[in-house]
Amino acid sequence: MASLRDIKKRIDSTTKMKKITKAMEMVSASKMNKAEQNAKAFVPYSEKMQEVVASIAKNTDASHPMLQTREVKKTGYIAITADSGLAGAYNANILRNLRNTIEQNHKSSDEYTVIAIGRMAVDFCKKRNVPMARSIIGLPDQPSFATIKDIASETVQMYSDGEIDRLVIIYNHYVSAISQVVTTNQLLPIENMDVSGSSSQYEYEPGEEQILAVLLPQYAESLIYGALLDAKASEHAARMTAMRSASDNASDLIDGLSLTYNRARQAAITQEITEIVGGASALE
């Protein structure tokens, strides 16, 4: 059985750890609130962009390669993960989905490539020799479009140049503070654009095809950025939940150790009393 000193040390170390996890929970909660606001604030822009693009695509004869389905010879996967752990199963769920998707749809590494966002996705690809076309790490907790613009535009350009024939994004969709769902969406080619419920009418200058040539790449880039904002909110929520669970587990561990400590101390006191009584009896 562990000594009283050992048990006391474990209680002290667990108490200090609980203070750390509690502080991390509060920090993640603050970041989550800000990230959730950013994600929600971006939705009106994304919806309006989709409305304009869909209106042009469906109501005119204008065409664009991003709207046309072609034979899929190579698929690009954008995987959005965090740069660090301590977020429960946040990263593992995304990477498991990516691995399963690749295994189910591809027989050769020549048929796909990955655009890795986040250190966990980059490390995953390097360790498993997964072909990686682009990567970025070190994104801030509240990323601006400027931080993601280069990799987003380069990824969209890969589709325009014919390097890939389909672009899919895998990330954690933020539902609530306690619920995040791994989501897989096809970004390119753009399909199923819905304009129902929109009564807006547009006049185009100089022309529909010229406008599509400018708007479609921007729209695809905005979808990537919107997914990143969504993923950041999910990351902070997952980390907050994980740290809360860690704090609760630390409390349970402290309670158990305190009970063990009190029992051991009581046993030691009883033993001392027994020895004193026994010694006194022996002197009589």
Side-chain angles (χ1 to χ4, degrees):
M1 182 177 179
S3 65
L4 287 173
R5 180 177 297 178
D6 292 336
I7 297 175
K8 184 63 176 176
K9 285 183 178 178
R10 287 194 62 190
I11 292 175
D12 291 341
S13 62
T14 306
T15 301
K16 293 178 181 177
M17 184 62 67
K18 179 183 176 181
K19 292 180 179 178
I20 295 174
T21 56
K22 197 66 178 177
M24 294 180 66
E25 176 191 345
M26 296 175 65
V27 171
S28 296
S30 176
K31 291 180 179 180
M32 181 200 69
N33 290 333
K34 180 62 176 176
E36 182 181 6
Q37 293 175 7
N38 292 340
K40 289 181 178 180
F42 186 76
V43 171
Y45 170 82
S46 179
E47 290 179 345
K48 194 63 177 180
M49 177 77 81
Q50 178 180 352
E51 178 186 324
V52 173
V53 172
S55 177
I56 299 175
K58 291 194 174 184
N59 298 326
T60 69
D61 295 329
S63 62
H64 192 276
M66 289 186 183
L67 299 173
Q68 299 172 352
T69 302
R70 61 195 186 209
E71 181 183 359
V72 179
K73 298 179 181 178
K74 190 170 187 177
T75 302
Y77 294 98
I78 301 177
I80 302 179
T81 63
D83 285 329
S84 59
L86 299 179
Y90 173 82
N91 294 303
N93 289 339
I94 297 171
L95 297 176
R96 185 184 303 111
N97 186 286
L98 173 63
R99 183 189 62 199
N100 293 340
T101 301
I102 290 174
E103 291 177 351
Q104 293 172 6
N105 297 300
H106 306 288
K107 298 180 180 180
S108 169
S109 59
D110 297 331
E111 297 178 355
Y112 65 91
T113 188
V114 174
I115 296 88
I117 299 178
R119 188 180 301 277
M120 294 299 177
V122 174
D123 291 345
F124 173 85
C125 293
K126 289 181 178 179
K127 290 179 181 178
R128 291 164 177 79
N129 295 321
V130 174
M132 185 168 51
R134 304 283 189 279
S135 66
I136 185 172
I137 60 176
L139 290 175
D141 292 320
Q142 314 298 337
S144 64
F145 181 71
T147 60
I148 199 69
K149 178 173 174 52
D150 288 343
I151 191 170
S153 59
E154 289 172 3
T155 302
V156 173
Q157 191 61 40
M158 288 173 61
Y159 181 86
S160 299
D161 294 342
E163 295 182 35
I164 56 177
D165 304 298
R166 188 170 60 129
L167 182 61
V168 176
I169 189 167
I170 301 175
Y171 67 101
N172 254 323
H173 169 59
Y174 178 85
V175 178
S176 67
I178 58 174
S179 177
Q180 301 86 44
V181 180
V182 178
T183 303
T184 302
N185 287 334
Q186 177 177 304
L187 298 185
L188 296 174
I190 299 173
E191 299 176 343
N192 301 323
M193 301 190 70
D194 186 15
V195 293
S196 60
S198 174
S199 58
S200 301
Q201 295 182 353
Y202 302 95
E203 293 183 2
Y204 307 107
E205 178 68 32
E208 290 87 347
E209 291 191 3
Q210 292 89 334
I211 293 176
L212 280 180
V214 175
L215 282 186
L216 281 176
Q218 293 181 1
Y219 174 63
E221 292 170 11
S222 73
L223 292 178
I224 297 175
Y225 180 57
L228 177 63
L229 294 179
D230 200 1
K232 279 295 182 180
S234 297
E235 176 189 344
H236 298 315
R239 186 167 288 111
M240 180 190 71
T241 302
M243 292 300 100
R244 180 179 299 166
S245 297
S247 298
D248 293 342
N249 291 337
S251 297
D252 294 339
L253 184 57
I254 291 171
D255 291 341
L257 289 172
S258 297
L259 182 60
T260 302
Y261 178 82
N262 292 333
R263 286 177 177 174
R265 185 176 61 174
Q266 186 63 45
I269 294 173
T270 303
Q271 181 65 26
E272 290 179 4
I273 293 174
T274 302
E275 291 175 355
I276 292 173
V277 172
S281 298
L283 292 176
E284 293 179 355

